[in-house]
Amino acid sequence: MATEGARTTAGAGPPAQAPGQEPGARRGVLGRVSWGLADQAVTSMINFAVGIYVARELGVHAFGVFSLAWLTYGVVLNVSRGLATDPLMVRFSGVPQEAWRAAAARSSGTALAVGTALGAGCLLVGFGLGGDVGPAFAGLGLALPALLLQDARRFAFFAAGTGHKAFANDLVQGVALVPAMVVAARVGTVAAFVLAWGAAAAAAAGYGFLQSGIRPRVTRARGWLREQRDLGSRYLVENVSLSGAGQLRAYGLGAIAGVGAVGAVRGAELLQGPFLALLMGLSLVTVAEAARVLRRTPERLGRFCFLLGGGQAGAALLWGSALLLMPDRLGELVLGDVWHDASRLIVPATLGVAGAGLGSGAAAGLRALAAARRSLRCQLFASACYLGGGLGGAALAGTVGSAWGVASATACGSALWWLHLRAALREHHRDPVPGHSEVRTP
């Protein structure tokens, strides 16, 4: 299941080790998980810091405007990942250096082309909208090429098995963000904060060139899309369905309950940020590890997925319980004026994240089984439930109703993921195909 700006992809590590290499395999898993968690921790803390700083500096209304731009970025990011970096992760993980470099150049060029094209669209929308929202979207249009290029660099390093370089690249972005945010605070507009965010990403993308020496090949983007269309088209639909539903929910919630409601929902999501960092860090490796379980001991895949999903759901509930005990004074210190509205959404937001964590275990199993049709069907159903629950709840009970609608929808989506995993496991046991997995390299 896709979460904020995050997608699970197969092939995050090298092929499975032979039985006699189990200790080395375990060390490899530990290394991949460690760098995945460390890198995602940095990325999530950057996102968390940006959100908190903007919320405190601008207040709930302006933070709602910023959240609309942020959610739009999430949709565009998933378009870029589906077309550019997800195929790279699947087909060019653990390949010879020369093949990886050529693929990384074309993949990052595709991400840059997507950012430029959709950025131009955001610019036009921003100029057309005007008011409070228009300048934020115009700023996003200018920032998108750098944001998507930096993200492509990050995933290319993971495909090469050099997660420490992705970690260093995100650290550079975090350091560059500090002076950029100080300047934006002096300007005091949403557009200034969006541009500061993009400027920090541009610095990190430039550092990525120094790390790898790879230039994005924009002129090869069309060829990359043509070669990867069998994967890219499917990943594009899966990625965009959930993030698109989130975007439409935000627009609908703003229209029904006001832009301030969007800011309150985003504030509740920020409170879940540290836990989501763990969830997304694990997502960098869970599908590949599920595929290894399938190849070695297929009868244990169901148990592995249940422990994975159940563990994430349990951790989400524990984190939500801690948030409920947070004193108002501390909450106001973190979120400022946004805390009052966001604190009312902690319970439904926690249940929604727990449901997503539970379903992600089943999603990893379906991807390992290469059950693409089942996976896509589940994702589309979950997205439809998310949008319907979020908007239906908003129409009935405003911001709180929308949060409870999303929590209920997430539970329904998670149930469907597990039903399909159960059916896919039965099919696999009846007609097993040795080595059947989406993990492919040339």
Side-chain angles (χ1 to χ4, degrees), residues 76 147 153 259 276 310 314 325 433:
V76 175
L147 289 167
R153 298 285 197 195
V259 176
L276 290 175
L325 299 176
V433 179

Side-chain angles (χ1 to χ4, degrees), residues 105-155:
R106 291 186 294 155
S107 174
S108 60
T110 302
L112 184 56
V114 170
T116 301
L118 296 184
C122 285
L123 270 174
L124 293 176
V125 169
F127 291 142
L129 286 176
D132 294 333
V133 178
F137 274 79
L140 179 64
L142 294 174
L144 275 176
L147 289 167
L148 297 190
L149 179 59
Q150 192 272 336
D151 185 74
R153 298 285 197 195
R154 174 181 176 230
F155 274 82

